[in-house]
Amino acid sequence: MLKLACVNQKGGTGKTTTVLHLSYILARKGARVLAIDLDPQANLTSAMRLDPDNIESGIDDVLESYAQKGDKVKITDVARDIDIGDVRVTLAPSNAYLERLNITLLNALARESVLRSALEDVKGFDVVLIDCQPTLSILTLNALVAADYTLIPVETRGLSVQGLLMLFDTIEQVKEKLNKDLQVLGILPVRFQKRLKAAQKNLERLQNFSDVVKVYPPVPESAAFEEMIENNKTLYDVESETAKRALKIYEQVADDIIQLAMVVA
């Protein structure tokens, strides 16, 4: 079971959109997918057509129980099967209550490893995708400790190289002290507008990282992506050339994940 954390400490970088598309594409390719919404904003939960305000139990209940003594609330206890297009994925949903874990976990023993412990009790999936909070919080740290790989979506319009370097430094610290097996799958440039000089320049800056990490081709910007989520459609349902280019890139990422999942398994 391969575990991948989609992480960037900056908001608006397409983490949720990436996890949503990859969940569907991987399931379409035959993988059994568990998606975990580890963001109190619950955007992935909403994108998968669940109302975060009406969720009786979510990933916050799981983490809280594993941080304490006593009976455990397992991920499979709160997970929901979600139909996306013609396939089904499993979602561990989130809501605003998850934010309190950033405080309560600080007092927990082995607080960085709570999610990893919870995932050790999960069976029956090929890939776990974790949508992280847009900050280097204790929740994000839990994702990095639990993961085998990280995928870093980066917005080409508002690139902060300094912020990206800080993220790489955090990943290296986690690898050195908490999760020696953690690796970076790659950087995924998103929201790319070829006609903008700033986007082109930022893409070149990202490609400079290719000596140390894989840099995927850029996912183009398209208003259709938001409409797809609203209308419960997938990239396979959209005929635009932009959507087709995006699909090709996401499929490339998915193929890499499947190959690695076969090795982990």
Side-chain angles (χ1 to χ4, degrees):
M1 185 173 72
L2 183 141
K3 301 173 289 294
L4 182 141
C6 195
V7 61
N8 193 317
Q9 78 274 26
K10 185 177 182 296
T13 58
K15 293 186 296 297
T16 298
T17 301
T18 296
V19 171
L20 183 66
H21 289 319
L22 288 177
S23 294
Y24 173 74
I25 293 170
L26 286 165
R28 199 171 189 265
K29 290 176 178 288
R32 295 163 296 177
V33 179
L34 169 64
I36 298 177
D37 191 347
L38 206 64
D39 185 353
Q41 297 182 53
N43 291 327
L44 181 63
T45 300
S46 297
M48 290 195 179
R49 311 189 77 78
L50 292 180
D51 183 356
D53 294 332
N54 290 327
I55 292 173
E56 294 183 3
S57 56
I59 192 65
D60 60 307
D61 298 290
V62 174
L63 297 180
E64 191 168 35
S65 74
Y66 273 81
Q68 301 171 350
K69 293 182 179 179
D71 294 337
K72 306 302 184 192
V73 178
K74 295 185 178 181
I75 291 177
T76 49
D77 293 334
V78 306
R80 315 282 187 88
D81 288 332
I82 306 293
D83 292 324
I84 305 177
D86 53 351
V87 300
R88 177 168 290 181
V89 303
T90 302
L91 171 70
S94 173
N95 55 42
Y97 290 109
L98 182 61
E99 184 63 54
R100 68 186 179 186
L101 270 296
N102 276 318
I103 298 175
T104 57
L105 284 181
L106 293 176
N107 298 318
L109 187 65
R111 58 184 178 270
E112 305 93 348
S113 304
V114 178
L115 178 60
R116 179 165 65 184
S117 297
L119 282 170
E120 288 174 353
D121 290 332
V122 172
K123 308 295 180 185
F125 295 96
D126 301 305
V127 179
V128 178
L129 300 177
I130 308 169
D131 186 20
C132 295
Q133 191 172 19
T135 178
L136 296 178
S137 63
I138 189 67
L139 291 172
T140 302
L141 187 57
N142 263 264
L144 293 175
V145 172
D148 303 301
Y149 291 87
T150 65
L151 177 65
I152 307 172
V154 179
E155 182 185 10
T156 52
R157 293 189 302 178
L159 172 64
S160 169
V161 171
Q162 188 62 37
L164 191 56
L165 291 173
M166 289 174 59
L167 178 57
F168 276 117
D169 183 61
T170 299
I171 291 171
E172 283 303 312
Q173 290 186 52
V174 170
K175 185 173 181 178
E176 179 181 344
K177 300 177 181 178
L178 298 167
N179 181 6
K180 62 181 178 61
D181 297 322
L182 181 64
Q183 299 183 58
V184 178
L185 177 66
I187 294 173
L188 180 65
V190 298
R191 305 185 68 180
F192 179 65
Q193 296 187 50
K194 186 176 181 179
R195 59 184 176 81
L196 296 181
K197 291 184 178 180
Q200 294 176 4
K201 184 175 181 179
N202 284 334
L203 179 60
E204 292 174 1
R205 296 165 76 190
L206 286 175
Q207 290 170 338
N208 288 333
F209 286 92
S210 60
D211 290 339
V212 293
V213 66
K214 183 171 185 175
V215 180
Y216 287 95
V219 177
E221 171 78 287
S222 175
F225 294 161
E226 296 298 326
E227 296 176 9
M228 288 164 49
I229 294 175
E230 289 293 329
N231 297 319
N232 198 29
K233 292 184 177 181
T234 73
L235 284 170
Y236 293 90
D237 302 320
V238 183
E239 292 297 326
S240 74
E241 290 302 316
T242 300
K244 291 179 180 178
R245 291 199 303 273
L247 174 59
K248 186 175 180 180
I249 296 162
Y250 283 122
E251 284 187 323
Q252 181 180 342
V253 179
D255 287 340
D256 286 348
I257 293 172
I258 287 174
Q259 289 182 2
L260 292 169
M262 293 173 64
V263 174
V264 171

